[in-house]
Amino acid sequence: MHSDVLIVGAGPAGLSLSIALAQAGFTSTVLDQQPGAALAAPAPDGREIALTHPSVALLQRLGSWQGLAAHEVGRLHDAQVHDGPVRPQAGMVLHAGGSGVDHLGWIVPNHALRRTAYAVAARTPGVRILSGAQVTRVAVQPDRAEVDYTQNGAPGERLTAPLVVAADSRFSGMRRQLGMGAAMTDFGRTVIVCRMRHQAPHGGTAHECFGYDRTLAILPLPGDPEGHATLPHLCSAVVTADSADAAALLALSPEDFTARVAAQFQHRLGAMQLMGERHAYPLVAVYAQRFTGPRCALVGDAAVGMHPVTAHGYNLGLAGVERLARTLADARAQGRDVGDAAALAQYARAHHRHAWPIYQGTNAIVRLYTDARPLPRLLRQVVLAGASRLPPLKAAIVSQLTGRRPAWPTPLP
């Protein structure tokens, strides 16, 4: 055996798992087809990740949180949900009151999380990273898992371990080779993400604006480290539209695109300016039919790929990393084979109980808030009004956003 665990995919989930396993006394080999330079210094991809309190606590224990620069860490103080045209009074306002914390969570660029995860994994004893490694075959035998790969044009090699873990995206080729199917929901829409400078302060407030044709999210970011005389503040703009509309938006000049976003947001942030590139991603949600099997497991997006509207995807992936590492540590403490299907089933059951309601609830929200018919519009208004007027329901929503249970019986204002 070359290590205790083989991990295919050096994204945040795979790298975080390797660090967690090392802290638990396991050795791991991480394979990724990207070159080492791209893993060590990932290019910005436009995505900003909202993190819950438990997720940040895990990243701190892993050591990757400490590698983030001050200008890469922003705080989400509250969130406003708007149905239809943006109005001065939001349909629902969410804040951390009653949850035991003073803010909803944090927001960090995706590329910064990838960079710090790689930096920690690369210097962690017991973690071996093979960059530029193209996996050609994965198979499980009664006594081992096997991964064949080529690297930088060299002859193919084979690695063996008691367990192999797929962490190679929601369109996982590893998952397919392991014979694990997945249910995919193609929303037929595209999300465009970009950064914008703006004039008025955002106050740490996130906005989710469910338009009838387009959905717009405005996420507060830390101030521009380079400074700007007239537009000193930064936000992330996330526009979701059908594919044809998204193509038209991407074809606009930076000035015209900015004008569209500013107009949909009713110019609440004053003058705005596009900063950098626009990035587009198709919206496809994925839920694997199984999370584990004999000598194999799935983590991160390979297990569950979420729609980003409720900001659960990354947090769910980190929860899976922590859960799988704990399951393997428990198995070893009991003298069990970490690749045994029965031992891995504990992780699969727990992660399914956690992920399934969040996945289905998120998809239901997406369908409800992108349907322009009269009845769904009325239902949206009823849902928002009910959540705003029922403190227990509102507290339950906040507990999902923060990752913490509400501090009962403290009333919400």
Side-chain angles (χ1 to χ4, degrees), residues 8 135 138 166 168-179 302:
V8 179
V135 173
V138 59
D168 57 336
S169 87
R170 67 187 61 199
F171 304 111
S172 171
M174 287 288 297
R175 185 180 61 218
R176 180 178 293 275
Q177 288 198 52
L178 290 167

Side-chain angles (χ1 to χ4, degrees), residues 83-84 189 210-215 364-380:
D83 179 37
R189 298 171 74 82
F210 289 102
Y212 300 133
D213 297 316
R214 297 180 193 143
T215 298
I365 289 172
V366 171
R367 295 187 183 98
L368 177 63
Y369 281 90
T370 55
D371 194 327
R373 293 176 298 174
L375 184 58
R377 285 192 189 188
L378 177 61
L379 183 57
R380 286 197 293 270

Side-chain angles (χ1 to χ4, degrees), residues 256-345:
D256 288 343
F257 177 83
T258 300
R260 296 285 184 92
V261 171
Q264 185 172 351
F265 200 53
Q266 298 294 311
H267 303 281
R268 293 178 59 160
L269 295 176
M272 302 183 76
Q273 181 184 70
L274 181 65
M275 180 181 178
E277 299 179 24
R278 288 164 278 181
H279 303 263
Y281 302 94
L283 282 182
V284 180
V286 176
Y287 199 96
Q289 295 171 355
R290 292 183 293 129
F291 294 159
T292 62
R295 306 209 170 276
C296 61
L298 311 177
V299 295
D301 280 1
V304 183
M306 296 282 293
H307 190 292
V309 69
T310 55
H312 279 301
Y314 196 95
N315 298 291
L316 191 62
L318 287 177
V321 163
E322 187 172 34
R323 190 171 287 119
L324 179 56
R326 186 168 58 246
T327 297
L328 299 184
D330 290 345
R332 170 172 281 185
Q334 297 165 11
R336 304 175 69 181
D337 181 349
V338 296
D340 180 66
L344 294 168

Side-chain angles (χ1 to χ4, degrees), residues 5 26 28 44 56 81 84 86 105 125 182 239 245 283 291 313 366 375 395 401 408:
V5 183
F26 293 93
S28 64
V56 170
V81 182
V86 176
V239 181
D245 188 23
L283 282 182
F291 294 159
V366 171
L375 184 58
L401 293 175
W408 301 104

